[in-house]
């Protein structure tokens, strides 16, 4: 059996605002809107990563801690870390800490979305491969 990754679920306090953040800041494309109250959305980022954004029932304060057990961040690969950082800063994104070495090679830079979910930019060296 082959298990193909389809999407990641992202529960939100305000699904509409969070959808708008991913569309305007990261260029996500809306694939689907579920007509429910509040609505839910399926978005696609460049590279094919899909996010399902839907209403949360509760939150945990420590969710923005990268060491909390469970899924902790979404990595976005870029060719030029400084150029991506500058573009996102112009769109109002605030970075959490300085650039750090990336596991396996390269550099990473963490930031959070509108609701505090962790993401990071990752720049890999030329010729980098995970296989």
């Amino acid at each position: 059996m082959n298990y193909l990754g389809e999407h990641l679920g992202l529960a939100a306090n305000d699904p509409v605002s969070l959808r708008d953040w991913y569309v305007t800041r990261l260029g996500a494309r809306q694939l689907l809107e579920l007509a429910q109250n509040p609505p839910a959305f399926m978005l696609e980022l460049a590279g094919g990563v899909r996010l399902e954004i839907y209403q949360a029932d509760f939150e945990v304060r420590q969710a923005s801690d990268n060491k909390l057990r469970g899924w902790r961040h979404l990595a976005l690969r870029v060719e030029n870390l400084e150029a991506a950082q500058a573009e996102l800063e112009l769109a109002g994104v605030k970075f959490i800490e300085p650039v750090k070495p990336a596991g396996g090679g390269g550099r990473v830079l963490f930031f959070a979305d509108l609701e505090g979910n962790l993401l990071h930019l990752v720049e890999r060296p030329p010729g980098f491969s995970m296989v």
Side-chain angles (χ1 to χ4, degrees):
M1 177 67 66
N2 289 325
Y3 298 97
L4 302 175
E6 188 193 87
H7 70 271
L8 299 169
L10 184 54
N13 290 324
D14 182 345
V16 173
S17 293
L18 193 57
R19 182 249 349 239
D20 292 347
W21 190 93
Y22 277 87
V23 168
T24 60
R25 285 0 179 251
L26 300 180
R29 181 171 64 104
Q30 181 174 309
L31 302 175
L32 177 66
E33 178 175 344
L34 299 176
Q36 56 193 40
N37 190 15
F41 307 96
M42 186 70 71
L43 305 180
E44 184 175 67
L45 297 169
V49 173
R50 291 181 179 173
L51 299 175
E52 177 187 13
I53 298 177
Y54 55 93
Q55 183 66 45
D57 289 336
F58 62 93
E59 65 181 276
V60 176
R61 286 181 182 252
Q62 298 86 350
S64 62
D65 184 335
N66 199 38
K67 298 293 184 179
L68 181 68
R69 183 181 55 80
W71 299 108
R72 291 286 43 95
H73 64 263
L74 174 60
L76 304 169
R77 192 164 175 175
V78 297
E79 290 189 22
N80 184 301
L81 198 64
E82 286 77 11
Q85 178 181 9
E87 180 178 283
L88 289 172
E89 284 176 337
L90 284 175
V93 172
K94 298 193 183 336
F95 290 87
I96 297 169
E97 52 194 28
V99 175
K100 299 181 351 183
R107 304 179 303 150
V108 297
L109 182 60
F110 279 86
F111 62 103
D113 69 16
L114 181 66
E115 294 196 358
N117 301 297
L118 289 177
L119 299 99
H120 72 70
L121 303 175
V122 60
E123 177 189 272
R124 297 293 187 183
F128 176 84
S129 175
M130 288 200 191
V131 292

